[in-house]
Amino acid sequence: MLDTVKHIILILSGKGGVGKSTVSTQLALTLQENGFKVGLLDIDLCGPSVPYLLNLEDKDVHQCPEGWVPVYTDSDKKLAVMSIGFLLNSRNSAVVWRGPKKTAMVKQFLTDVCWGEIDYLIIDTPPGTSDEHITVMENLKAVKCDGAVIVTSPQEVAIEDVRKEITFCKKTGIPIIGIIENLSGFVCPTCAECTNIFSTGGGKALAEITKVPFLGTLPIDPKFGLLLGKACVKELPDSESAKSFNNIVKEIIAKTTV
Amino acid sequence: MDSNVPEHCPGTQSDDAGKASACAGCPNQTICASGDAKAVDPGLELVKQSLENVRHKILVLSGKGGVGKSTITALLSRSLAVNDQDTNVAVLDIDICGPSQPRVLGVLHEQVHQSGSGWSPVYVEDNLSVMSIGFLLGSPDDAVIWRGPKKNGMIRQFLSEVDWGNLDYLLIDTPPGTSDEHLSATTYLSNAGLTGAIIITTPQEVALLDVRKEIDFCRKVSVKVLGVIENMALFICPGCKTTTEIFPAKTGGTKQMCLDMEVPFLGSLPLDPKVARCCDEGKDVFTEFPDSPYIESLKNVTDKIIKICDTS
């Protein structure tokens, strides 16, 4: 089912809450703004965030003879989305599954969704280096995966987990496209003083230590979390985040098209 | 269990275990069919014995990652230990893939020793000890790439083979989610008498969404929710003292969620870069910034938790 997909990009981070899902959705939206057809697959089974972040919480997945039809964000069908969130009855109910069941679900997401002809498939993952990650990696061996984008926040305690994720990529042979440092500094709206709440520069230093390309930094921006399905590069074009994001996406496109 | 488990496995606890059509060819078919898989896990009794002298066992949970589970676990443990020198506190880190306790408690390069009575935990203070898989890894780059059953084995070992001594509080720091680690911990601990769970969240909806799932998880596995702590609530600019909501609470925030889900609200902790740095460097906030408003909020939350534990 993935042979009609031109490029596959994994979004990884050892640490939770660093912005994997936010970066995944904004990356998908920015690629869409750039004229590409994009798919977004959310394999965080216990905490799916993509439906909320794209404002698609009331949507359902349909079956067709070929498999599952993903949810489209627009009538042009430029952005297709799949998440376990679409399959749950209530937004409060927990998916209490052990590994083997998660593995089966992830496998089904990778083999049974009709993405159609798309340029990019972005895969958003949960934190860690366990069942979901091993399954994705094993199943992507047969098709060409362009690589992983690693998201981190700057503080040591996050970097520590992200180093483990980089080891995971190296051990399993997934190329790393680069590292993005998110939540990198907060500019006070009153006095414009920049405070590095979670410190700064950690992502860049990590990129140097591990010899992985550094893609850019994204600042802490309370407006960013309220975008809900809108592309930051379109809604907040003058913001630091949008400028940085445009550069990051340009670099990702350049790295995946060679 | 491996990747060669049949896709339609009826489950080892099912009446059809080993007998369903999907079981044909499964390497575990004979074990399941014999009924051995249904036998009670001997680990349950071992954990119960090992934790006999632990008065309160508290899980620290959150569906969402990066909300401060490990930071708050560490700070609460310090707070409980500072509060009364005669209170013995310990932290068990069951985040196997991303252990943070060694760093946050400032015992990064310590090693765990084995004695006749089991693993000796690492002591941060005279009355505060910690155990984490982080102590067992050779290098900070080492990744633990394990599927569920192996993580389960490790957690069982942590719960049954660490020599804690007499403890008043054992705080168990968990990874995000509602999966293997959580099921293993709750199964073993429920049998050993679990006091309850403290849930950590941040105010924005995308975190609350996962936290509601975690509360639903607690209900499904019958774990009492002791209360919810809201972290990173407000940011006070060190320059001009303006308060900003970094993670805007669009949906009424944590208090509203607590009302909706009918669970107690324990309090809010602000976003303080000084505290974040302290934890990154493994320093004790109580000696570094004793007058910070953060400490005051933390003490209030600690008092509430002590009260809840004493009455339950």
Side-chain angles (χ1 to χ4, degrees):
Chain A
M1 209 55 102
L2 292 174
D3 38 346
T4 53
V5 177
K6 282 193 200 133
H7 300 288
I8 299 175
I9 298 173
L10 281 169
I11 310 291
L12 296 173
S13 172
K15 186 82 190 150
V18 295
K20 280 179 298 304
S21 300
T22 307
V23 167
S24 302
T25 51
Q26 287 299 329
L27 179 59
L29 289 164
T30 314
L31 285 167
Q32 185 197 11
E33 286 293 319
N34 279 295
F36 293 106
K37 281 189 138 182
V38 188
L40 176 54
L41 172 62
D42 179 7
I43 60 161
D44 189 341
L45 304 177
C46 294
S49 307
V50 167
Y52 171 76
L53 290 173
L54 286 175
N55 207 7
L56 297 171
E57 277 191 299
D58 47 352
K59 297 287 192 295
D60 288 316
V61 165
H62 298 283
Q63 288 270 1
C64 73
E66 288 79 37
W68 275 334
V69 183
V71 171
Y72 288 96
T73 56
D74 53 352
S75 48
D76 299 342
K77 301 198 168 180
K78 289 276 234 188
L79 176 53
V81 186
M82 187 69 201
S83 164
I84 198 169
F86 298 133
L87 308 173
L88 301 175
N89 294 328
S90 145
R91 67 201 295 260
N92 294 353
S93 50
V95 173
V96 188
W97 289 354
R98 284 191 182 267
K101 228 167 151 179
K102 291 198 283 189
T103 301
M105 188 80 224
V106 170
K107 227 187 234 169
Q108 213 173 348
F109 274 156
L110 288 171
T111 52
D112 293 358
V113 179
C114 309
W115 296 105
E117 298 270 343
I118 56 172
D119 298 300
Y120 284 94
L121 177 65
I122 314 285
I123 303 179
D124 182 21
T125 63
T129 50
S130 192
D131 292 285
E132 294 90 332
H133 311 83
I134 302 174
T135 309
V136 163
M137 178 271 298
E138 280 175 353
N139 282 276
L140 288 183
K141 265 188 187 151
V143 289
K144 195 181 145 279
C145 170
D146 287 78
V149 171
I150 310 238
V151 184
T152 186
S153 50
Q155 75 273 41
E156 282 292 324
V157 74
I159 299 281
E160 201 164 55
D161 291 353
V162 175
R163 284 172 81 165
K164 296 182 196 303
E165 199 74 32
I166 292 174
T167 306
F168 170 81
C169 289
K170 288 186 174 160
K171 272 192 183 168
T172 55
I174 301 171
I176 300 174
I177 299 174
I179 296 178
I180 298 176
E181 178 178 307
N182 190 23
L183 304 176
S184 183
F186 173 68
V187 179
C188 174
T190 320
C191 66
E193 176 165 325
C194 180
T195 312
N196 296 315
I197 300 185
F198 304 110
S199 115
T200 189
K204 192 151 199 199
L206 174 72
E208 276 159 20
I209 297 171
T210 52
K211 301 195 174 57
V212 166
F214 184 65
L215 294 173
T217 47
L218 296 168
I220 298 174
D221 186 348
K223 284 196 278 291
F224 213 83
L226 304 174
L227 284 165
L228 300 188
K230 296 184 211 110
C232 79
V233 291
K234 202 173 157 199
E235 287 298 306
L236 313 161
D238 301 321
S239 66
E240 242 352 92
S241 314
K243 281 178 210 157
S244 190
F245 223 92
N246 267 324
N247 284 335
I248 291 172
V249 170
K250 242 181 243 159
E251 210 158 315
I252 292 177
I253 295 173
K255 281 189 190 217
T256 49
T257 40
V258 279
Chain B
M1 274 188 266
D2 230 16
S3 52
N4 54 1
V5 164
E7 216 167 295
H8 299 288
C9 171
T12 53
Q13 305 299 311
S14 143
D15 287 337
D16 289 334
K19 295 167 195 143
S21 57
C23 299
C26 175
N28 292 331
Q29 189 184 9
T30 40
I31 303 174
C32 283
S34 71
D36 283 353
K38 263 181 153 179
V40 179
D41 181 351
L44 287 170
E45 205 41 49
L46 289 174
V47 170
K48 192 175 174 183
Q49 280 168 11
S50 160
L51 297 180
E52 234 170 21
N53 297 323
V54 179
R55 205 145 63 95
H56 296 297
K57 306 162 197 79
I58 301 171
L59 278 170
V60 181
L61 297 172
S62 171
K64 185 80 189 151
V67 296
K69 280 179 298 301
S70 303
T71 308
I72 291 183
T73 307
L75 291 172
L76 272 179
S77 70
R78 281 197 193 270
S79 182
L80 286 164
V82 157
N83 193 37
D84 175 5
Q85 291 299 320
D86 295 329
T87 303
N88 289 316
V89 187
V91 174
L92 173 63
D93 184 1
I94 61 164
D95 190 341
I96 307 288
C97 295
S100 306
Q101 287 303 339
R103 172 173 294 279
V104 182
L105 284 171
V107 283
L108 206 50
H109 301 292
E110 298 287 335
Q111 292 210 321
V112 164
H113 298 282
Q114 192 109 30
S115 73
S117 44
W119 274 335
S120 305
V122 171
Y123 281 83
V124 183
E125 307 285 345
D126 288 342
N127 59 342
L128 174 57
S129 57
V130 56
M131 184 69 202
S132 163
I133 196 170
F135 298 129
L136 309 175
L137 301 176
S139 130
D141 286 318
D142 280 2
V144 179
I145 308 173
W146 289 355
R147 287 188 180 271
K150 225 169 149 179
K151 292 193 281 191
N152 183 40
M154 189 79 230
I155 290 169
R156 186 183 109 171
Q157 219 174 339
F158 275 157
L159 287 170
S160 60
E161 290 177 22
V162 178
D163 178 21
W164 298 108
N166 281 332
L167 281 184
D168 296 290
Y169 294 94
L170 175 64
L171 301 179
I172 300 150
D173 184 19
T174 62
T178 51
S179 192
D180 289 286
E181 294 89 337
H182 314 81
L183 279 168
S184 303
T186 48
T187 313
Y188 288 126
L189 288 167
S190 297
N191 189 56
L194 177 64
T195 313
I198 295 172
I199 310 235
I200 317 285
T201 186
T202 49
Q204 78 275 37
E205 178 59 25
V206 73
L208 293 175
L209 199 60
D210 293 351
V211 170
R212 287 196 199 95
K213 292 183 199 294
E214 199 73 36
I215 295 173
D216 184 46
F217 167 81
C218 288
R219 299 217 162 113
K220 280 182 177 159
V221 297
S222 321
V223 168
K224 185 180 169 195
V225 177
L226 301 177
V228 179
I229 302 175
E230 178 178 64
N231 195 19
M232 309 187 196
L234 282 175
F235 173 69
I236 303 164
C237 173
C240 66
K241 308 286 172 216
T242 309
T243 49
T244 313
E245 281 185 61
I246 302 258
F247 302 109
K250 248 186 72 195
T251 47
T254 312
K255 267 190 195 154
Q256 187 59 44
M257 183 207 66
C258 287
L259 286 175
D260 294 343
M261 304 290 292
E262 294 168 351
V263 288
F265 177 68
L266 294 174
S268 279
L269 297 171
L271 191 55
D272 188 338
K274 284 195 301 248
V275 175
R277 200 151 313 134
C278 247
C279 292
D280 245 8
E281 292 165 3
K283 290 185 186 147
D284 183 359
V285 190
F286 286 86
T287 51
E288 297 281 315
F289 304 107
D291 306 321
S292 137
Y294 191 95
I295 299 282
E296 208 183 297
S297 317
L298 184 65
K299 277 187 178 153
N300 281 336
V301 171
T302 314
D303 288 344
K304 276 191 196 166
I305 292 171
I306 295 176
K307 226 174 258 162
I308 293 174
C309 285
D310 286 344
T311 52
S312 68

